[in-house]
Amino acid sequence: MGKAPICTWICFLTLVFSHLELSDEADVIGAEGSISDGETLVSSLETFQLGFFSPGKSRNRYLGIWYKNSPGAVVWVANRNNPIAEGKGVLTLSDTGNILLNQTNTVVWSTKVSGAARNPVAQLLDTGNLVLKDNKSMPESYLWQSFEHPSDTLLPGMKIGWNLKTGEERYLTSWTSADDPSLGSFTYRLDKNGLPQLFIDRGSVKRYRTGPWNGIGFGGVPAVPNLVFKPIVISNENEVYHTYEPASNSITMRLWLNQSGYLQRLIWEQKSNEWDVLYSAPFDKCGSYGSCGVNSICSSRRADACECIKGFISKSQESKNCLRESPLDCQKGEGFTRLDGVKVPDLLKIELNESLNPTGCEAECLKNCSCTAYANVNVSEGRTGCLMWFGDLFDITEVSDMYRGEDVFIRLSASGLGLTHDSKKKNRMAIILVSIISSAIILGLISFIIWKRFEVKHHRSFMFMNK
Ligand SMILES: *[C@@H]1O[C@H](CO)[C@@H](O)[C@H](O)[C@H]1NC(C)=O
Ligand SMILES: *[C@@H]1O[C@H](CO)[C@@H](O)[C@H](O)[C@H]1NC(C)=O
Ligand SMILES: *[C@@H]1O[C@H](CO)[C@@H](O)[C@H](O)[C@H]1NC(C)=O
Ligand SMILES: *[C@@H]1O[C@H](CO)[C@@H](O)[C@H](O)[C@H]1NC(C)=O
Ligand SMILES: *[C@@H]1O[C@H](CO)[C@@H](O)[C@H](O)[C@H]1NC(C)=O
Ligand SMILES: *[C@@H]1O[C@H](CO)[C@@H](O)[C@H](O)[C@H]1NC(C)=O
């Protein structure tokens, strides 16, 4: 009789534990395994989930990956441009080692890997990466991975940039709308011309630019988030790419190129169970690429954001472009005016020489008649270089102390430099004039006193003479 309660307890606990185990959803499917609409894969630590979903008001079905505790935050979509009718989708791992997404008997999307795996498995990792691998091979050798096919979200560890051997580029593309994940008009990509820079483009039009990579971060972007995450650029003969890592494992972070063409760096707030925007870009009225025309500088502190660089003047009322007040002639006396703490001009026509120090950089620029500006920049941590611009200067932005700014030296002709000295000259002239006047007054006073004294003496002696 006394044994019955004990059994009840043991049976109950066994039931609870076996139930916990059963409720653990798989993170992997093997050959000929499948997932149909309504079923999901869940990564081992339950961070990410893969399955079918309908975005916003849409009734179309897409295969995607999202945060398990934030299903609205979809980080990857397989069939972006090929939606499936409700309930008709099925994901299978074929015996040839490809992931196929079918709508009835049509393949709407697949991994297209060639070279069959003998023991293929598809696994959703806790980083948010869906990987295809041979079950027997080394853990990190993947036949295919979703991280190499980005949608609109850059997760920690994902790369955007270039494979220099194959010429292949990876970048983010925005959704068309909140209801439609098909390829939208905005992209976020790495430009590898000279020094790495990041761009938001709309089609083929540049819309926003960071400054160049300086070994620590990209110029002109907030420097503060370094405490929260670390931006990374890897550049070697095989690849040039950008990625990032959160400062600690407890930080859940994503970078999202939203449908309006803005980047948002989002952090998951556990307390409130929502995403906080750490920052977004473009972030002020100077963020819009080249909004000020050539040879001008944008400052968000000014009501009229655009201003010609010192030594340049506005071409006309209609045009935002600025022209040299006095053209370069490559004659003696040419020099530079310094712009402090700016996002340096776009690297349209540049040359980078890593063997020149600051003095050498200035001399090298002066030597070439078409060099219009130079800057001493950090190329990577501990390596510096001389960056020289040729031709018009575009998209210079004044940045506040919180952002990463650099100094640029703009070349001016001798008379151009003279013009910027003119105001000083006028001041000096006035000072000289004032001194002359005051000297004259003092002199006048002294002469007056002397003359008065002389007059008194003279008068006295005159009186004596009369006596
Ligand atoms: C992968 O291999 C392991 C060990 O050989 C095995 O236990 C497991 O079931 C395999 N998984 C799949 C999905 O085939
Ligand atoms: C998916 O479609 C392909 C091509 O029609 C077909 O060979 C395959 O059997 C289908 N798979 C499933 C699970 O429906
Ligand atoms: C995109 O981000 C910008 C900047 O944070 C925000 O103002 C805008 O509302 C966002 N758009 C969407 C569709 O989320
Ligand atoms: C860098 O400048 C030095 C000095 O003018 C020159 O000798 C060298 O060829 C330059 N290097 C490159 C890569 O242009
Ligand atoms: C000046 O630099 C430009 C651009 O790099 C180059 O094409 C030109 O040959 C150089 N001119 C001289 C005189 O070195
Ligand atoms: C270059 O890096 C050094 C330290 O690595 C830093 O002190 C310096 O301010 C940086 N210069 C620029 C222009 O970013």
Side-chain angles (χ1 to χ4, degrees):
M1 279 293 279
K3 276 180 187 167
I6 296 171
C7 174
T8 314
W9 271 108
I10 291 171
C11 296
F12 175 70
L13 287 177
T14 316
L15 206 82
V16 167
F17 281 113
S18 62
H19 183 75
L20 276 181
E21 245 164 55
L22 280 178
S23 76
D24 261 359
E25 282 176 273
D27 67 344
V28 62
I29 53 172
E32 294 178 53
S34 69
I35 295 169
S36 46
D37 202 323
E39 298 175 329
T40 61
L41 287 183
V42 173
S43 67
S44 61
L45 297 176
E46 307 213 332
T47 312
F48 289 98
Q49 190 162 23
L50 174 145
F52 292 87
F53 73 101
S54 291
K57 298 190 206 81
S58 169
R59 304 200 56 189
N60 288 330
R61 302 298 280 172
Y62 296 88
L63 181 85
I65 298 172
W66 57 84
Y67 289 87
K68 189 159 185 283
N69 57 5
S70 172
V74 175
V75 296
W76 184 77
V77 182
N79 54 320
R80 293 185 72 171
N81 282 351
N82 298 301
I84 298 173
E86 197 163 351
K88 299 275 168 57
V90 58
L91 181 82
T92 50
L93 182 54
S94 75
D95 51 3
T96 60
N98 270 305
I99 306 176
L100 302 181
L101 183 58
N102 276 29
Q103 164 163 254
T104 51
N105 270 329
T106 335
V107 177
V108 295
W109 175 88
S110 95
T111 50
K112 296 195 193 86
V113 172
S114 59
R118 247 190 263 152
N119 228 318
V121 292
Q123 186 175 18
L124 178 62
L125 304 182
D126 220 51
T127 53
N129 197 4
L130 174 67
V131 300
L132 181 61
K133 60 181 185 180
D134 197 313
N135 196 21
K136 297 272 151 58
S137 73
M138 301 301 287
E140 300 242 331
S141 159
Y142 304 136
L143 301 164
W144 179 93
Q145 49 180 317
S146 62
F147 269 22
E148 292 188 350
H149 303 269
S151 291
D152 64 347
T153 301
L154 194 71
L155 292 172
M158 266 176 95
K159 304 166 174 179
I160 52 171
W162 298 81
N163 179 330
L164 299 175
K165 289 271 145 73
T166 62
E168 187 203 349
E169 189 195 358
R170 268 182 237 157
Y171 54 90
L172 305 184
T173 311
S174 67
W175 286 19
T176 297
S177 74
D179 305 324
D180 180 3
S182 66
L183 295 174
S185 27
F186 301 101
T187 56
Y188 183 54
R189 52 209 292 187
L190 182 127
D191 185 343
K192 58 179 166 56
N193 179 34
L195 287 168
Q197 300 184 116
L198 293 167
F199 280 93
I200 298 174
D201 294 347
R202 177 176 206 154
S204 58
V205 179
K206 293 176 181 178
R207 200 169 160 271
Y208 165 79
R209 174 182 72 103
T210 67
W213 175 254
N214 66 13
I216 301 160
F218 289 94
V221 304
V224 176
N226 255 358
L227 304 167
V228 186
F229 76 100
K230 186 179 169 210
I232 297 165
V233 164
I234 301 291
S235 176
N236 55 43
E237 74 261 33
N238 297 320
E239 52 187 359
V240 187
Y241 68 82
H242 164 55
T243 183
Y244 68 93
E245 57 188 34
S248 97
N249 284 338
S250 61
I251 298 173
T252 301
M253 177 184 283
R254 67 188 164 113
L255 184 69
W256 177 42
L257 177 63
N258 78 17
Q259 299 98 43
S260 346
Y262 284 85
L263 272 177
Q264 290 187 331
R265 192 173 287 278
L266 298 143
I267 284 198
W268 179 252
E269 287 296 337
Q270 248 149 1
K271 279 185 199 139
S272 54
N273 260 15
E274 56 186 22
W275 294 98
D276 269 1
V277 180
L278 188 59
Y279 70 84
S280 61
F283 42 80
D284 62 22
K285 57 184 167 185
C286 290
S288 184
Y289 179 83
S291 59
C292 280
V294 302
N295 303 318
S296 58
I297 177 164
C298 187
S299 167
S300 54
R301 286 181 305 138
R302 285 192 296 263
D304 183 13
C306 304
E307 191 175 69
C308 291
I309 300 172
K310 216 195 280 179
F312 291 74
I313 46 166
S314 195
K315 233 170 172 174
S316 69
Q317 288 268 296
E318 303 83 58
S319 168
K320 285 185 165 178
N321 295 335
C322 300
L323 278 177
R324 283 182 187 280
E325 259 176 304
S326 151
L328 290 177
D329 51 11
C330 226
Q331 298 298 305
K332 266 214 170 105
E334 284 192 349
F336 297 88
T337 178
R338 188 169 93 180
L339 299 182
D340 288 342
V342 295
K343 178 164 87 183
V344 303
D346 194 3
L347 311 179
L348 295 172
K349 203 159 172 242
I350 54 128
E351 225 170 78
L352 179 66
N353 189 323
E354 291 188 34
S355 58
L356 290 167
N357 63 16
T359 343
C361 190
E362 175 174 339
E364 191 72 11
C365 183
L366 275 180
K367 238 194 267 171
N368 187 320
C369 291
S370 35
C371 178
T372 48
Y374 76 89
N376 297 293
V377 292
N378 285 342
V379 174
S380 58
E381 236 166 326
R383 259 168 65 219
T384 61
C386 166
L387 194 57
M388 287 171 281
W389 280 262
F390 301 90
D392 283 330
L393 304 167
F394 208 52
D395 196 42
I396 307 173
T397 305
E398 191 181 280
V399 295
S400 75
D401 290 345
M402 252 179 61
Y403 301 81
R404 291 190 196 89
E406 272 157 315
D407 297 347
V408 186
F409 296 84
I410 312 288
R411 184 178 191 159
L412 294 177
S413 67
S415 51
L417 280 172
L419 284 168
T420 66
H421 290 156
D422 258 8
S423 49
K424 281 183 199 155
K425 250 185 231 160
K426 270 176 205 150
N427 277 346
R428 228 174 284 136
M429 287 290 280
I431 291 167
I432 292 168
L433 202 69
V434 170
S435 351
I436 290 174
I437 293 170
S438 44
S439 308
I441 292 172
I442 292 166
L443 256 168
L445 271 171
I446 294 172
S447 342
F448 179 74
I449 292 165
I450 294 174
W451 180 75
K452 267 287 183 201
R453 282 211 172 160
F454 175 77
E455 195 187 47
V456 170
K457 257 193 202 160
H458 196 74
H459 191 70
R460 276 196 194 140
S461 46
F462 191 71
M463 286 200 336
F464 283 131
M465 274 171 68
N466 272 352
K467 270 196 179 167

